[in-house]
Amino acid sequence: MTSTPAPSPDTASPSESFLRQPRAVWAVAFACVIAFMGIGLVDPILKPIADQLDATPSQVSLLFTSYMAVMGVAMLVTGVVSTRIGAKRTLMLGLALIIVFSALAGLSSTIGAIVGFRAGWGLGNALFIATALATIVMSARGSTAQAIILFEAALGLGIAAGPLLGGELGSISWRAPFLGVSVLMTIALVATAVLLPRTPVTTRRTSLADPFRALRYPGLLTIALTALFYNMGFFTLLAFTPFPLDMTAHQVGLVFFGWGVLLAITSVWVAPILQRRFGSIPTVLVSLVLFGLDLAAMAIWTDHKQVLVVGVIVAGAFLGVNNTVITEAVMGAAPVERPVASSAYSFVRFSGGAIAPWAAGKLGENVSVHAPFWMGAAAVAVAVVILATGRRHLERTQTPAAHSRAEGELVAVADAG
């Protein structure tokens, strides 16, 4: 009787090889799950903060504006920092800043203080997120597409769980989600310190000018501008919808939990299938058109809570597809290092995330409750025009990625564990 030898690394199946990622990849992926939970934790408490601190929707929306504005500018320096102190130290610095500023926000008593501490939180998130994506892409075994699915799975899992936990904690106090973020980030910091090996400082140091130089490439500029206007629609949905919903923190948490679950499912399983079958640009264009129509429906029927609930949850499907495909497109849109491309892209797109929440709040206060959603729909329409016009610059470098359903399932199981 002969025994069957165990498969060697060279003969192992693609799915087995994909699971055997370096320890660094799993450590960073775990930290990403915790980090992305911090985004959704805050959303269910926007209206309670406004009610208890006597703030207007536009004032509360500044929690997103200060966060996104600082994060966008900080993206320009993430490459400079990481190439000088190494990826691990940059990740840990970012996590440490989030821990401190989220705790301070939870202990604050004025809307101005919370807005200010959210800005510091955005700085920490910029250092962590940009470095995390680059670390996973550069360290993971397999294709860039597989690494990005891993990152998007962590994003989806974190975003899905965040509102649910935020709703539960927000039922106790609006302060609890902020303090919860601080606790979760402490766990992520310990995990990163213990599990992630020391990363060497790169020999080539990037400069502040590198991201701006990268934007000279038409492909990267097209993707970045598309994401800027798409993010205006996304953050209108995220920052303003809790006000016309007028529900408890727990109920808003459940609505955005459904949104996050659908986002996670489509980003891991549906996006790769669509991308393989139709290509990157057609997939993004269709998802943007559908998202714009969804916002338009919410604008027409804003007075009907059922429509808003369905609109928020359904939007998760379009956002999940768009996030996965457009993130991968960035990595091949310009002949520059991936961290530089990521910094340039993020700087431009986060501008939309900074403008939209405040503008939506002002429109809701001074025009009508319908106006913010019309603004979001119009911004997404601009994104469609930009991508359709500039697609020739991307089609020269972009080809559909070879994903599989099995790969998506493996990522989801691994991250959930």
Side-chain angles (χ1 to χ4, degrees):
M1 182 176 179
T2 59
S3 59
T4 302
S8 65
D10 295 332
T11 60
S13 69
S15 61
E16 290 172 335
S17 298
F18 184 73
L19 274 179
R20 289 203 296 268
Q21 296 291 352
R23 185 175 61 173
V25 173
W26 296 121
V28 176
F30 169 75
C32 282
V33 173
I34 305 300
F36 287 121
M37 285 182 69
I39 298 174
L41 273 168
V42 177
D43 205 61
I45 59 171
L46 292 177
K47 194 172 187 304
I49 289 176
D51 293 339
Q52 295 181 36
L53 296 184
D54 195 24
T56 65
S58 61
Q59 288 175 322
V60 175
S61 71
L62 291 175
L63 269 71
F64 284 99
T65 296
S66 64
Y67 177 79
M68 299 302 297
V70 171
M71 188 155 58
V73 174
M75 284 294 179
L76 296 174
V77 303
T78 54
V80 176
V81 174
S82 64
T83 55
R84 283 161 174 76
I85 68 174
K88 181 175 182 177
R89 290 179 179 176
T90 304
L91 291 171
M92 293 181 65
L93 175 61
L95 289 170
L97 289 173
I98 297 172
I99 292 168
V100 171
F101 285 109
S102 58
L104 289 172
L107 298 173
S108 300
S109 299
T110 66
I111 191 67
I114 299 174
V115 169
F117 290 132
R118 278 282 285 179
W121 187 342
L123 173 60
N125 216 51
L127 290 169
F128 175 78
I129 295 300
T131 312
L133 174 57
T135 300
I136 288 177
V137 170
M138 291 186 289
S139 302
R141 294 192 180 104
S143 66
T144 297
Q146 289 174 328
I148 290 175
I149 292 178
L150 176 61
F151 181 81
E152 292 295 338
L155 184 152
L157 183 61
I159 285 181
L164 193 62
L165 184 58
E168 292 297 328
L169 293 175
S171 299
I172 301 171
S173 168
W174 67 262
R175 300 177 187 276
F178 289 110
L179 299 176
V181 167
S182 186
V183 172
L184 290 171
M185 289 305 180
T186 300
I187 297 172
L189 177 63
V190 172
T192 303
V194 173
L195 299 178
L196 183 62
R198 181 180 178 183
T199 54
V201 177
T202 59
T203 55
R204 188 209 181 275
R205 295 185 175 184
T206 61
S207 70
L208 289 173
D210 286 345
F212 293 104
R213 294 193 187 103
L215 290 172
R216 294 184 299 183
Y217 292 98
L220 183 58
L221 182 61
T222 296
I223 285 288
L225 290 175
T226 299
L228 184 154
F229 287 98
Y230 146 71
N231 264 315
M232 290 187 68
F234 170 65
F235 278 95
T236 295
L237 180 86
L238 199 65
F240 185 75
T241 308
F243 293 98
L245 275 177
D246 194 23
M247 295 177 172
T248 65
H250 176 73
Q251 291 171 327
V252 173
L254 287 175
V255 172
F256 278 92
F257 171 69
W259 165 80
V261 168
L262 204 53
L263 186 149
I265 291 172
T266 55
S267 65
V268 175
W269 290 298
V270 178
I273 295 172
L274 295 176
Q275 188 183 29
R276 183 179 65 245
R277 182 168 182 178
F278 301 108
S280 297
I281 306 306
T283 298
V284 174
L285 283 172
V286 171
S287 68
L288 287 175
V289 169
L290 293 175
F291 179 43
L293 292 174
D294 184 42
L295 287 170
M298 293 173 71
I300 296 171
W301 293 289
T302 311
D303 297 325
H304 299 273
K305 290 186 180 181
Q306 298 90 336
V307 174
L308 293 181
V309 169
V310 173
V312 168
I313 295 173
V314 169
F318 311 135
L319 298 174
V321 170
N322 188 74
N323 284 348
T324 294
V325 180
I326 207 168
T327 300
E328 185 174 327
V330 170
M331 295 302 177
V336 298
E337 290 105 331
R338 286 168 178 149
V340 173
S342 178
S343 295
Y345 163 72
S346 297
F347 168 69
V348 175
R349 74 182 175 114
F350 285 145
S351 299
I355 295 168
W358 179 83
K362 280 296 184 183
L363 286 172
E365 293 165 14
N366 300 320
V367 180
S368 77
V369 74
H370 307 271
F373 296 108
W374 283 122
M375 179 195 73
V380 174
V382 173
V384 171
V385 172
I386 290 173
L387 184 59
T389 304
R391 65 184 298 174
R392 67 185 184 278
H393 302 298
L394 293 160
E395 289 173 339
R396 295 172 184 170
T397 56
Q398 282 297 118
T399 56
H403 300 304
S404 72
R405 180 183 178 86
E407 289 172 357
E409 292 171 345
L410 288 168
V411 175
V413 171
D415 277 348

